[in-house]
Amino acid sequence: MRVAVYALECKGIWSVWISLDLSVDRWWWSGAGPESQDRRLVTVDKLVLLSPALSLGWAVKLRDRFKQRDGMRNWGAKEWGEYVSSVLEPELKEEREAGGMGEEEQWLSDGISLWWFADPGWEIEQAKKNNDCRGNDLDYALLESEVEQFVHAVAGRSLLQPEIEALLAEGLPKQTGRWRQAAQLAHLQGRLQLTAAVGSPAPAAHGARARQLPAGAGALARAAAKLPHVLWRGAVARRAVVRCLRCGSAPTGRTACAACGLMGCAYCEACLALGRSRACALLLRSAALPAVRCTAALDPTAAAGRWGLSPAQAGAAGAALGFLAERRERSAKPCPERFLLWAVTGAGKTEMIFPLLEAVLAAGGRALVATPRRDVVLELAPRLARAFPAEILAVLYGGSAERWGSGRLTLATTHQLLRFHRGFDLVIIDELDAYPYHNDPMLAYAAEQACKLDGSFIYLSATPPQEMQRLVRSGRLPHARVPVRFHGHPLPVPQHLTMTSIQTCLKRGNLPRPLIHTLRKSIEREAQIFCFVSRIAHIEGLLVLLRRNFPGVVIDGTSSKDPFRAEKVTAFRSRVISLLVTTTILERGVTVPRSDVFILDADSDLFDEASLVQMAGRAGRSKNDPAGRVVFASPQWTRSQRGAISQIRTMNIIARRKGYISKETLR
């Protein structure tokens, strides 16, 4: 995309702007329209058209890296051309190396025009010089009406041009062909941000100075007061680093681009599945609004009664409500504040977030519940809809029919967060330790961008990452533990069974007697048996051996590569299948009453402490069978196994100490 870029002098302060439609800018800065009284406070003295059609990425750099210099008021086209060339020197060099520009580089200065804003002839001359500047052809009353609809439609979002057009085609079809004018006016009003999808993060303007200026003039302070840009990891950027501003990744290459005409247009492959992010691609972002304050947080006792929470659930929900109500006075960090709900598997995490959502919605805010997996989204959607029937629930995932749906309450997979920007007062990340969110900087960046800067994060996890656990132990991360399940019984503590590896068993063609004996006990008590293995390749051979030893038992296997996985899990839940051999694909999100868990090759490097705890958590979830059996079967006793058992025992100890486990439940 190519855009116009111009410099503007206002009361001795210069700033640079980009424009999708110069006719809108002319109207805005002339002080016309119903907001003219406010805009007369901004006296525009001089306008310098730097280019009527510059590659968006280059135009954004001119705007964001602009520095006022002495004597600019008296500069001519030559001086402005030299300034533009100096700012874009790295880009010009890269373009020459890619075989572009050549003698045509002169167009950088050829497009420069200088105008005193008071000159009555400038409007006519601008119309002649730029076909996009149509003078008085616009219906400005209609445009201002369309701006309101446009801003509402893209509120809280971060969208590329094709996504903008797809959203409008569904919700505002009349604006599909002329949305650029509405976007430009909203940008001048300070309600939308226009930037390049790939580029250097812009320095942040000084907030207090920007607020003192009239509507649409906040960017005028950029040259006078700049602060170091804070990257998503929290480190201060000492120099401009090119990255994809949608997903935070470094661009992986440069190609010739028909859209901007450059030979070396940078692009990002990390988020390619959601549309091509390029240096010349427009990224439109809703301007961030302040987060709501839940100062009138719901009474924890009343919330516990309304949502049917257990004492342990109510205690954790109350701590989180206190965090939402008081956090502003504790911290002034330029990023969302965080709280961890560390709840054991089967504790009822979903029920605990209901009071938090209720508090934010009651305060007039917007809340987002994000989870890494689509199947969890589909499972949670009807529960949230029943809990909050008065709210419009937007359910977003890959292939969702509601891709552009919006509401004050949103449920989405973590990949969908790439399409949001500072849109939510509360972001709840469920299963933060699960694939694909865990250890994916792109999704962490997306989550950070989706939350308002003074908003809140609530993390939900039964097995938080080690770094997060260290923050908890050091007191640097507010948290609440839920050490017991909703039924009040202790977690089953895994037992270790020493046996040869599965690979050895398959070579020998038989299973060890201790394993057969232990499995038979579970079969005799009519338990549903999860049999976890570390490798998909072991499933078929193990099924042969199991069926040979237990001929009267319905045994099957599944994995991520099984096209009938959903049907088999359903059959397992309904007790049609009694023993299911599977991989970690079923380590979480599956609740089967009266179940036992066997983890074979528990010493495998593919089973870390967190995955062992999650797999063990499949047992004992039912109040009718809370003491399910968990067996770690392996040749060796590893640190991961010891850590998993220690974590489970620690939670049981905390639960007993707090009185969540009664003597009756121990009998």
Side-chain angles (χ1 to χ4, degrees):
M1 169 184 280
R2 288 182 175 271
V3 296
V5 55
Y6 60 91
L8 197 73
E9 184 190 19
C10 172
K11 293 185 177 180
I13 296 178
W14 285 87
S15 61
V16 171
W17 295 77
I18 64 173
S19 178
L20 304 178
D21 190 305
L22 275 173
S23 61
V24 176
D25 298 71
R26 174 197 56 76
W27 176 69
W28 172 263
W29 294 117
S30 68
E35 296 182 49
S36 59
Q37 288 299 112
D38 291 334
R39 276 181 277 148
R40 283 181 186 143
L41 297 174
V42 182
T43 304
V44 178
D45 300 316
K46 193 172 184 179
L47 184 146
V48 180
L49 180 64
L50 300 178
S51 175
L54 187 63
S55 173
L56 176 64
W58 292 14
V60 167
K61 183 178 181 181
L62 282 175
R63 179 193 67 186
D64 294 344
R65 304 294 161 180
F66 175 75
K67 293 183 179 180
Q68 183 164 335
R69 296 184 180 179
D70 294 337
M72 274 187 167
R73 185 179 181 84
N74 300 317
W75 280 8
K78 178 182 177 181
E79 289 80 9
W80 280 106
E82 291 173 349
Y83 174 78
V84 169
S85 296
S86 67
V87 174
L88 299 178
E89 183 178 357
E91 286 73 17
L92 293 170
K93 180 180 178 181
E94 290 177 350
E95 184 65 11
R96 294 189 204 101
E97 292 174 350
M101 302 302 292
E103 296 180 357
E104 296 181 4
E105 189 173 326
Q106 185 64 31
W107 66 268
L108 276 175
S109 58
D110 287 346
I112 293 177
S113 301
L114 286 73
W115 297 96
W116 291 101
F117 203 84
D119 186 344
W122 93 278
E123 298 177 11
I124 300 173
E125 292 298 326
Q126 291 294 82
K128 292 178 180 177
K129 285 180 172 292
N130 192 310
N131 292 331
D132 291 333
C133 186
R134 289 179 292 276
N136 295 319
D137 291 345
L138 288 175
D139 183 339
Y140 295 110
L142 175 61
L143 177 59
E144 290 193 319
S145 172
E146 290 180 339
V147 165
E148 298 302 319
Q149 297 175 339
F150 185 82
V151 170
H152 178 75
V154 301
R157 294 190 181 269
S158 175
L159 302 173
L160 296 175
Q161 179 175 335
E163 295 169 330
I164 299 169
E165 293 171 346
L167 182 152
L168 294 176
E170 183 175 306
L172 296 171
K174 292 183 179 180
Q175 289 197 33
T176 303
R178 58 173 187 260
W179 62 268
R180 289 173 179 80
Q181 296 166 358
Q184 184 62 27
L185 181 52
H187 173 57
L188 292 169
Q189 293 171 340
R191 302 166 74 184
L192 291 180
Q193 299 176 13
L194 304 180
T195 190
V198 171
S200 301
H206 192 284
R209 179 71 178 274
R211 285 192 296 273
Q212 291 171 1
L213 293 170
L220 293 174
R222 271 197 290 265
K226 293 186 178 181
L227 296 176
H229 179 74
V230 179
L231 298 179
W232 70 273
R233 288 184 182 272
V236 176
R238 296 182 179 177
R239 59 180 181 177
V241 178
V242 176
R243 62 176 63 248
C244 174
L245 300 185
R246 179 170 66 168
C247 75
S249 304
T252 51
R254 295 175 181 272
T255 60
C257 178
C260 66
L262 298 180
M263 295 297 294
C265 186
Y267 66 94
C268 176
E269 285 188 332
C271 58
L272 189 59
L274 274 75
R276 174 149 296 187
S277 179
R278 306 186 69 110
C280 71
L282 175 66
L283 185 64
L284 184 148
R285 288 173 163 176
S286 175
L289 297 175
V292 300
R293 296 190 60 182
C294 302
T295 51
L298 301 176
D299 176 54
T301 303
R306 181 161 47 257
W307 298 107
L309 303 183
S310 69
Q313 290 174 315
L321 284 171
F323 166 78
L324 294 179
E326 301 172 4
R327 68 190 188 284
R328 298 293 170 262
E329 299 177 0
R330 296 197 308 266
S331 174
K333 296 182 298 182
C335 61
E337 298 191 50
R338 291 158 168 78
F339 186 93
L340 171 65
L341 273 176
W342 188 349
V344 299
T345 57
K349 293 191 293 293
T350 302
E351 288 72 18
M352 281 183 276
I353 69 173
F354 288 164
L356 312 182
L357 297 174
E358 183 181 18
V360 172
L361 295 172
R366 298 180 68 202
L368 165 72
V369 180
T371 182
R373 299 181 297 144
R374 169 179 168 173
D375 56 339
V376 177
V377 168
L378 296 175
E379 179 186 341
L380 287 179
R383 298 172 67 182
L384 285 176
R386 288 193 298 269
F388 300 96
E391 297 292 339
I392 298 175
L393 176 63
V395 182
L396 310 175
Y397 55 86
S400 169
E402 303 176 15
R403 186 165 59 135
W404 305 118
S406 63
R408 293 203 304 146
L409 181 57
T410 299
L411 173 63
T413 56
T414 49
H415 275 89
Q416 294 298 316
L417 304 192
L418 289 165
R419 293 193 171 109
F420 289 96
H421 180 255
R422 308 298 181 212
F424 298 98
D425 304 272
L426 173 63
V427 173
I428 297 176
I429 304 291
D430 188 20
E431 297 187 349
L432 69 98
D433 57 304
Y435 175 85
Y437 185 84
H438 182 51
N439 283 336
D440 190 331
M442 178 181 79
L443 296 180
Y445 175 90
E448 182 94 6
Q449 293 293 305
C451 189
K452 295 179 180 179
L453 281 175
D454 52 349
S456 298
F457 266 92
I458 302 290
Y459 292 118
L460 306 179
S461 180
T463 51
Q466 290 298 321
E467 176 60 28
M468 192 168 284
Q469 293 186 35
R470 284 192 287 270
L471 292 175
V472 167
R473 289 193 293 269
S474 66
R476 289 181 290 169
L477 178 63
H479 73 286
R481 290 201 197 198
V482 185
V484 67
R485 287 172 169 167
F486 71 96
H487 51 55
H489 290 263
L491 300 168
V493 179
Q495 303 170 342
H496 185 253
L497 176 66
T498 302
M499 62 167 280
T500 56
S501 68
I502 295 300
Q503 185 65 34
T504 301
C505 293
L506 296 178
K507 287 182 178 179
R508 294 176 179 176
N510 59 59
L511 296 174
R513 288 186 179 181
L515 176 62
I516 295 174
H517 177 71
T518 309
L519 282 170
R520 184 170 283 117
K521 286 184 178 180
S522 293
I523 292 172
E524 288 173 351
R525 81 176 197 90
E526 298 183 347
Q528 296 296 102
I529 302 172
F530 287 90
C531 187
F532 289 99
V533 295
S534 61
R535 300 185 182 279
I536 296 176
H538 291 164
I539 294 178
E540 288 302 322
L542 185 58
L543 288 175
V544 172
L545 299 182
L546 288 169
R547 287 166 178 163
R548 182 189 302 165
N549 284 277
F550 305 103
V553 178
V554 180
I555 301 172
D556 215 326
T558 190
S559 70
S560 59
K561 296 183 178 180
D562 184 1
F564 303 105
R565 182 174 80 243
E567 291 84 348
K568 291 178 181 179
V569 172
T570 299
F572 185 55
R573 279 178 166 151
S574 61
R575 302 181 67 84
V576 174
I577 296 174
S578 298
L579 190 156
L580 187 63
V581 180
T582 184
T583 58
T584 53
I585 191 70
L586 296 184
E587 75 173 20
R588 62 180 76 219
V590 179
T591 298
V592 178
R594 198 175 184 81
S595 58
D596 287 352
V597 173
F598 287 74
I599 304 173
L600 308 186
D601 287 344
D603 58 349
S604 170
D605 292 339
L606 298 177
F607 294 152
D608 60 11
E609 179 181 323
S611 64
L612 290 172
V613 171
Q614 288 288 350
M615 289 184 284
R618 299 311 98 201
R621 299 170 74 91
S622 169
K623 64 180 180 180
N624 297 322
D625 185 52
R629 176 180 299 174
V630 180
V631 176
F632 289 171
S634 64
Q636 301 178 17
W637 187 235
T638 61
R639 177 182 296 180
S640 294
Q641 293 175 78
R642 289 194 297 270
I645 291 176
S646 175
Q647 189 178 143
I648 291 170
R649 283 177 172 161
T650 298
M651 286 296 192
N652 285 339
I653 291 171
I654 294 173
R656 290 189 183 95
R657 186 185 303 147
K658 292 188 174 183
Y660 295 144
I661 297 177
S662 63
K663 293 181 179 179
E664 287 73 16
T665 61
L666 297 174
R667 293 175 182 172

